[in-house]
Structures are given as C-alpha cells and as structure tokens.
Amino acid sequence: PAGSASRPAPGPAPAPATAPPAAGASPVAAASADPARWGRVDAEGTIYLRTADGERVVGSWQAGAPEEGLAHFARRFDDLLTEVELLAARLTAGGGDPKHALTSARTLRDGLADAAVVGDVDGLRRRLDELVAQAEVSVGAARSARDAQRAAAVARKEALADEAEQLAAEATQWKQAGDRFKAILDEWRTIRGIDRKTDEALWKRFSKAREAFNRRRGSHFADLDRQRAGAKARKEELVLEAEALADSTDWGPAAARYRDLMAEWKAAGRAQKDADDALWQRFRTAQDAFFARRAETFAERDAEFVANAEAKKALLNEAEKIDVADPDAARAALRSIQERWEEIGKVPRDDVRPLEARLRAVEEKVREAADRQWRRTDPEAEARVAQFRDRVAQFEAQAEKARAAGDIRRAEQAQGQADQWREWLTTAEQAVQGR
C-alpha cells in the first residue's frame, strides 16, 4: 500500500543515480542521502513529510525500526525523481511524443499532493512545472511542424493534381504521359499527414484527371485503329494494282503509274506495323520486278540503238564521199543511202541530232549541185544569151555597112548599140556560167 509497509526492502538500497537536470532546470536533491531532512517518523511508526505548507502523514511503518521506514519512503521519492528526470531527458533529447510527455508531467505533478514519499516534494513540483512548460512548448512546436508538414503535403498533392489535370487536357505523347501518371500515383502514396477531407478532395481531382486522360487516350487509339484499318484497305488496293502492272510492257505509262501509286501509298497513312510491312514488301516486289524487266529491255534496246548508230555513221561516211560533179548520179546515190538509213531504225537519243545534221548537210550539198546544173541548162537563159549575141552581130553588121558607105554618124550609132548589147551579152553569159 502507498501509505504503509509490512516488511523492509530486501538488502541495503543504493542511492539511485539521478539524470542531470536540463539546462536552466531547477535541481532536486535525492532524499535517500538524508531522509530526516524531508520528514520524520514517530514512536508509533507514523511517517510525516515536511513541506512549505507544513507536515502531512504519508504512511506508517510497522515492519522494523522507524528509521528504516523513513528511508523506505525516501527511496520512493527518489524513484519518482528518477522517473521525472527520465521524462526531462526525453523532452530535452526530442524523443517520443511531446503530447504524451506533457500528459505524463501533468499526471506526476497532480499526484504529488497525495504521493506517499519523503523528499523535496516542493522542489519536485517546481521541476514538474518546468517540464510541463517545456512539454507545452514541445507540443506547440510539434503542432507547428505537423501543420507545416501538412501544408507541404497538401501543396505537393495540389501540384501533382495540377500536373495530372494538365496532362489530361494537353498531353499527346501517350506513353510518356501514361508513365508520368504512374509515377505521380507512386509519389502520391508516399505523401502523408493530410486530413481525410482534404486528402479525399485532392484524390478526386487526381482520379478525375487520370480517367479523363485514359478516355482521351483510348479515343485517340480507337481513331488511330480506324485510320490504320482504312490505310490497310487502301494499301491492299494499291498492292493489287502494282502486282497487276508488274508484267506490263507499256513501259512509259506503267512507270508513270508506279510513281503515282507511290505517292498514293504515302498519302494513305500507316497501317499496323506487321500488316504495313507485309503490304510494303508485296508492293516493292511488284515494282522491282517491273523496273527490272524494263531495265533489261532498255539495256537490250540501247545495245541495238548503239549498233544502229554505228551503221548510220558508216552510211554518213559513204554519203559524205558522194561526187556531186554528176548531180543525177549523186541524187541516185543519196536516195540509196536514205533508204538504207530508214531501214536501220532508231539510235540513242544523244546521237539523233548529230547524225541527222550530218545527213542534212549531205542532202543540201547534193541539192545545191542539182540546182546549179538546172540553172546552167535553163532554156530561157540560153535563149536570152543567143538573142543578145544575135543583136550584137546585127548592130556590128549595120556599123560595118555604114562605114563602108561613108556614113560615119550611122556607123558610130550602130557601133554604140552593138557595144551596149555586147555588155548585156557578157552579163547574161556570166550568169549562165555561174549557175
């Protein structure tokens, strides 16, 4: 019982070590060193505690010498003092819950009025008053820290909710945004210290944003699937046409159509990767087959054209040696060359103009020779020459006759006309000879 003892404490009781008081704290002396300083025991074994307000009975001792009873109640005080100083040490070190420490300090202080101990109860009360004040400060600091922590947690979750709402409204990089939502959720779960109402409101914001993002992403991929299905159907049509063209020998139009098909392929968009790759392989196979056949044909044709060019060069060498002194023979030789020229066929594009130019030069040379021959044998020109010659002879005869008759005036007149006609004759003869 708190106020009495039936037997002494076993063995001698060492004085308990007390924790050093906190800086600035009021020291409280242990009671075991001098129990009589703080209380007394009467002959009947009644134990009294001395306080500033006087004495009060704290118990009785019937199990041994009265001094042992006084020492027993002093040890009880020392145990209480040790508990108080341990509480002070925890408060000073910042360990434990300051609210619990405050409750403990108040309980200890309130229990001092009836405590069955002998010691410096007044000093211990002052010490507990200090601890209560210290605990109240710690409680306030803890409350402020919790409030700050709560505010920081609320601010962080608000920032995460804001980011989630922005992603839900604007994100188009679907994988990165989806990964970010997962990271936000992981971080969200680590944030503590928010009151339930606020936490639920913030969670609703985040959850609503995530659902909106998932709906928008789902809609996007549904649209993409529809587009890919349309692209696949269109590309299947293009592949069928490309495969149908692969055996064409209408080289120009078919090649142009392949170019158009390629442009339409790009405009069709992308199908699912595996389907798109398979269709593209079919398209390229058909296209490559066509252009390989065309290249082979063109190579054969080019070889033929080169041979044709060499044959035409040989004809040109023959044509350029035609003797135009005999225009008729020259024309006949040229006609033979022209006939063989047409039979030879096409030549490479780059050789067409040079070869044609050389042939035209030969044709022009033969034509000019024939023109000159024609001009030399023109009947009207020869008739004019003969007419001028006759007129010259006529006027010279008249001049001779006039001179013989002594008619000098008529002789000079006739001779002048003869000279004039002779000039015209010379000009006409030169014209005929120059043709």
Side-chain angles (χ1 to χ4, degrees):
S4 62
S6 59
R7 64 178 179 269
T18 60
S26 299
V28 178
S32 297
D34 187 9
R37 178 183 175 186
W38 310 107
R40 66 182 180 86
V41 56
D42 61 12
E44 289 78 21
T46 302
I47 308 298
Y48 293 89
L49 169 68
R50 296 190 189 96
T51 68
D53 296 329
E55 289 184 337
R56 68 177 176 86
V57 176
V58 295
S60 65
W61 183 262
Q62 303 297 327
E67 291 75 13
E68 292 178 358
L70 189 63
H72 170 77
F73 284 94
R75 288 194 296 273
R76 282 191 173 187
F77 176 85
D78 289 348
D79 291 342
L80 185 59
L81 175 60
T82 299
E83 184 178 354
V84 170
E85 293 304 335
L86 287 174
L87 179 61
R90 286 197 297 271
L91 276 173
T92 302
D97 182 6
K99 188 175 181 180
H100 176 72
L102 176 61
T103 301
S104 298
R106 285 174 174 169
T107 300
L108 289 171
R109 185 183 63 181
D110 294 343
L112 285 179
D114 299 322
V117 296
V118 170
D120 187 5
V121 174
D122 292 334
L124 190 58
R125 179 176 289 105
R126 289 191 298 272
R127 180 67 171 135
L128 285 169
D129 286 341
E130 293 171 354
L131 293 182
V132 167
Q134 183 180 352
E136 287 174 344
V137 171
S138 297
V139 168
R143 184 181 299 111
S144 297
R146 285 195 302 273
D147 290 344
Q149 183 181 5
R150 177 186 176 281
V154 170
R156 184 56 190 147
K157 283 196 173 181
E158 285 178 342
L160 293 175
D162 290 342
E163 183 182 355
E165 289 168 345
Q166 184 175 4
L167 288 173
E170 301 174 6
T172 56
Q173 299 296 321
W174 305 109
K175 184 179 185 308
Q176 292 89 328
D179 291 343
R180 181 55 189 154
F181 266 105
K182 292 178 182 177
I184 289 174
L185 180 58
D186 291 340
E187 182 178 355
W188 189 285
R189 288 170 175 166
T190 65
I191 300 172
R192 299 286 188 269
I194 303 176
D195 63 277
R196 183 174 180 179
K197 181 178 179 182
T198 302
D199 201 43
E200 287 180 351
L202 289 171
W203 173 254
K204 286 180 180 179
R205 285 181 58 192
F206 171 75
S207 181
K208 182 179 179 181
R210 185 173 57 171
E211 290 173 0
F213 169 78
N214 288 336
R215 285 195 302 271
R216 196 161 63 85
R217 180 174 60 177
S219 176
H220 166 79
F221 283 108
D223 291 342
L224 188 60
D225 287 342
R226 286 191 291 271
Q227 293 171 10
R228 287 174 175 172
K232 179 182 177 183
R234 178 59 184 143
K235 286 185 173 181
E236 287 173 343
E237 295 174 356
L238 296 176
V239 166
L240 291 175
E241 185 174 354
E243 290 172 340
L245 282 173
D247 295 328
S248 175
T249 56
D250 196 2
W251 308 114
R257 182 55 187 153
Y258 269 114
R259 288 192 294 271
D260 293 341
L261 288 176
M262 180 63 76
E264 293 174 27
W265 182 280
K266 293 178 180 178
R270 288 190 61 82
Q272 289 289 346
K273 187 177 186 306
D274 53 350
D276 203 70
D277 290 345
L279 289 169
W280 174 246
Q281 185 61 41
R282 287 176 58 190
F283 183 91
R284 283 297 302 273
T285 299
Q287 180 178 249
D288 291 347
F290 168 79
F291 282 104
R293 289 177 48 251
R294 188 184 73 156
E296 181 179 357
T297 300
F298 281 9
E300 294 174 357
R301 186 191 66 180
D302 290 344
E304 179 184 349
F305 285 3
V306 169
N308 291 346
E310 293 301 320
K312 286 190 175 183
K313 289 177 182 178
L315 285 180
L316 286 171
N317 292 335
E318 180 183 342
E320 289 167 347
K321 295 176 181 178
I322 292 175
D323 185 1
V324 295
D326 183 353
D328 292 336
R331 282 197 298 269
L334 180 60
R335 280 194 299 272
S336 174
I337 289 172
Q338 289 171 330
E339 289 172 358
R340 284 179 286 163
W341 182 281
E342 294 300 328
E343 290 174 357
I344 289 174
K346 295 181 178 180
V347 300
R349 182 179 301 175
D350 293 342
D351 292 334
V352 172
R353 288 190 176 182
L355 295 176
E356 293 288 346
R358 287 178 63 186
L359 182 61
R360 284 196 298 271
V362 173
E363 291 171 345
E364 184 64 23
K365 181 180 177 182
V366 172
R367 185 167 49 253
E368 288 178 355
D371 288 345
R372 286 195 300 271
Q373 182 189 38
W374 180 84
R375 286 193 297 270
R376 285 195 301 270
T377 59
D378 185 357
E380 293 182 1
E382 294 295 336
R384 283 194 296 274
V385 170
Q387 181 184 9
F388 290 166
R389 190 177 289 116
D390 289 343
R391 296 290 285 180
V392 169
Q394 178 184 349
F395 284 116
E396 285 184 342
Q398 289 179 3
E400 184 64 31
K401 185 177 180 180
R403 280 194 293 273
D407 190 347
I408 300 304
R409 185 181 65 80
R410 288 186 64 189
E412 291 177 351
Q413 195 174 37
Q415 187 61 48
Q417 289 179 324
D419 292 342
Q420 180 65 56
W421 281 99
R422 184 174 286 108
E423 290 179 7
W424 290 341
L425 171 61
T426 299
T427 302
E429 288 174 342
Q430 290 174 349
V432 170
Q433 292 173 359
R435 293 173 184 176

